[in-house]
Amino acid sequence: MMLLDIAPTLAMYRQTNEAFARAYWHWFTLIRPTPFPETLIESDPELYLRSVMGARSAGMKPFTPEVLAEYQRCLSLPGTAYGICEDYRASAGIDLEHDEEDIRQGNHLTCPLMALWGKNGAIEQCFEPLNEWKKVAAQVEGKAMPSGHYIAEEVPELLIAEALSFFSSINDL
């Protein structure tokens, strides 16, 4: 498994500080009860996208107009905002309960795990991602990439090289 610019969700919620809350404000907005966050998103999908995606270290530079148009088209589809919010609500609810239970029972991810995060992003600034993943997974490797949150868009060639190297190494096992 390869994960991009994330630490374990339980660690992210439990270790929240001001820097993380400012960078990931949308996490805390999206977990509010329906219909509040959905109404905000649906009232102006473009403003929501630019407010979330544009607030990252690279701003809107990594996204072509065509990519942004597709994000906006998808976000404008009926039910999309609700689905997004429900995913975040689960991450702050039942997912945390499951994570806590796994920790109590000593369960760990057993598949090989590669965690990559942006050197210029909030994960690097607020957490020790590799150490956090080692608490919940048996086989972990990872590193910071020369990017912000949007690794795939900011350094696609480097990401492809990392992915090919990682997945070919586990095929050799």
Side-chain angles (χ1 to χ4, degrees):
M1 175 170 33
M2 180 175 272
L3 301 173
L4 303 180
D5 209 53
I6 188 94
T9 306
L10 181 63
M12 292 176 77
Y13 273 114
R14 296 297 185 255
Q15 298 174 38
T16 293
N17 60 24
E18 182 181 349
F20 178 72
R22 287 182 182 276
Y24 278 62
W25 60 268
H26 60 288
W27 277 34
F28 305 99
T29 301
L30 297 176
I31 65 175
R32 302 277 303 142
T34 192
F36 178 70
E38 293 90 340
T39 302
L40 292 176
I41 294 168
E42 291 167 350
S43 71
D44 194 338
E46 181 181 4
L47 176 63
Y48 176 77
L49 284 175
R50 291 187 180 280
S51 296
V52 174
M53 295 165 68
R56 307 286 184 177
S57 62
M60 297 305 287
K61 273 196 286 184
F63 307 101
T64 65
E66 297 80 14
V67 167
L68 284 174
E70 184 62 8
Y71 270 111
Q72 187 174 339
R73 184 191 71 77
C74 292
L75 191 56
S76 299
L77 294 171
T80 298
Y82 178 75
I84 290 168
C85 293
E86 284 295 292
D87 178 51
Y88 281 85
R89 289 178 188 124
S91 78
I94 191 68
D95 291 356
L96 296 181
E97 292 175 27
H98 290 166
D99 291 347
E100 289 168 342
E101 183 63 23
D102 281 339
I103 289 169
R104 276 193 295 278
Q105 292 184 13
N107 295 333
H108 286 82
L109 295 169
T110 58
C111 64
L113 171 65
M114 167 64 82
L116 301 174
W117 60 93
K119 181 77 173 162
N120 303 320
I123 301 302
E124 168 80 7
Q125 295 168 5
C126 298
F127 305 97
E128 294 184 25
L130 199 55
N131 290 340
E132 293 300 334
W133 284 113
K134 287 179 179 179
K135 293 177 186 176
V136 299
Q139 303 175 57
V140 180
E141 57 185 286
K143 65 181 184 180
M145 299 292 282
S147 69
H149 179 68
Y150 297 103
I151 298 169
E153 291 82 0
E154 294 178 50
V155 289
E157 296 84 10
L158 293 175
L159 175 58
I160 290 169
E162 290 291 338
L164 290 173
S165 175
F166 173 68
F167 289 114
S168 66
S169 73
I170 48 180
N171 282 336
D172 294 339
L173 297 177

